[in-house]
Amino acid sequence: MKKYLAESVGTFILVLFGCGTAVVAGDKVGIVGIAFAFGLALIGAAYGIGPISGCHINPAVSLGVFVAGRMTVKDMLGYWVGQFVGAIAGASVLSAIVGGVAGGYNLAASGLGQNGWGAGYQGEYNLTSAILFEFVATLIFVIVILGSTQKSAPSGFAGLAIGLTLVVIHIFGIHITGVSVNPARSLGPALFVGGKALSQVWLFLLVPSIGGLTAGLLFRTKSLEVE
């Protein structure tokens, strides 16, 4: 249970500070600032809870780790529960915070840093672009995670490498989908915003999961695993 609680806390941190920066300060810090908020939140969580759970804080990562043969199905399911609970809690706290702004806050109009695509969202990229980006970005992200945490990798640097990779992914992809690569991070805000965000969340539950699974297979088959 300690591992599952740690995953909940870590995902809470990621959603609160990543999505929170996008909502509260996005117009001031821009894409690069939001990207670093997500990446630095992940780095902080990695060194804070990593010794307990490995700091997956992402169902697609846990799926990739399971497929790679590095965790049991029981733990994967426990991690998923913790991650989704943490993401929902993070979005809930963020909603309460922004609701205190002078004049009130319109969730439907201003959102909570939710993911999306198409007309009216960010760069208005189409569904094909959204699917391709989320698959490739998650595949690369989970490859970095699995590669930097295998036994032969330098110890102590995985959190930094993973966090910086998330920064680059956000710089590239914020205008495409807002960047999910994480089903829990997507579901939390979508549940509170509702409407279009909730109707589109299926993509961010499904496609990153497929990307994580594919990365896991590359390590399971020893294609990228050090012998």
Side-chain angles (χ1 to χ4, degrees):
M1 289 301 298
K2 188 181 293 186
K3 293 185 292 187
Y4 310 151
L5 176 60
E7 286 295 304
S8 185
V9 170
T11 314
F12 176 91
I13 292 170
L14 181 72
V15 171
L16 181 63
F17 288 103
C19 294
T21 299
V23 172
V24 176
D27 59 336
K28 299 175 180 64
V29 302
I31 287 176
V32 174
I34 296 169
F36 270 95
F38 274 100
L40 292 174
L42 176 56
I43 291 172
Y47 290 105
I49 68 165
I52 300 172
S53 69
C55 191
H56 297 183
I57 63 175
N58 181 337
V61 171
S62 296
L63 178 59
V65 173
F66 167 71
V67 172
R70 300 187 191 177
M71 74 185 307
T72 66
V73 66
K74 177 185 175 182
D75 271 345
M76 180 184 71
L77 295 175
Y79 274 44
W80 283 358
V81 171
Q83 291 155 1
F84 281 111
V85 168
I88 293 168
S92 175
V93 171
L94 176 57
S95 177
I97 290 171
V98 299
V101 70
Y105 188 80
N106 189 327
L107 273 179
S110 301
L112 282 179
Q114 70 275 10
N115 300 114
W117 75 87
Y121 187 87
Q122 299 284 3
E124 299 191 338
Y125 285 82
N126 64 21
L127 176 60
T128 300
S129 294
I131 291 173
L132 187 58
F133 169 75
E134 287 293 333
F135 173 76
V136 173
T138 310
L139 174 65
I140 292 170
F141 185 47
V142 180
I143 285 174
V144 170
I145 291 170
L146 293 173
S148 63
T149 56
Q150 59 186 322
K151 292 179 180 179
S152 60
S155 62
F157 294 97
L160 186 60
I162 295 164
L164 290 176
T165 300
L166 191 61
V167 171
V168 174
I169 288 172
H170 275 79
I171 292 173
F172 174 27
I174 282 178
H175 268 319
I176 303 172
T177 63
V179 182
S180 170
V181 302
N182 184 335
R185 170 262 182 271
S186 296
L187 183 63
L191 287 176
F192 289 88
V193 176
K196 189 175 182 180
L198 196 56
S199 71
Q200 292 187 338
V201 78
W202 64 267
L203 186 151
F204 306 106
L205 298 176
L206 178 63
V207 178
S209 298
I210 297 172
L213 184 152
T214 305
L217 286 173
L218 290 173
F219 283 82
R220 182 77 174 223
T221 58
K222 306 298 182 182
S223 298
L224 292 177
E225 188 89 38
V226 176
E227 296 294 341

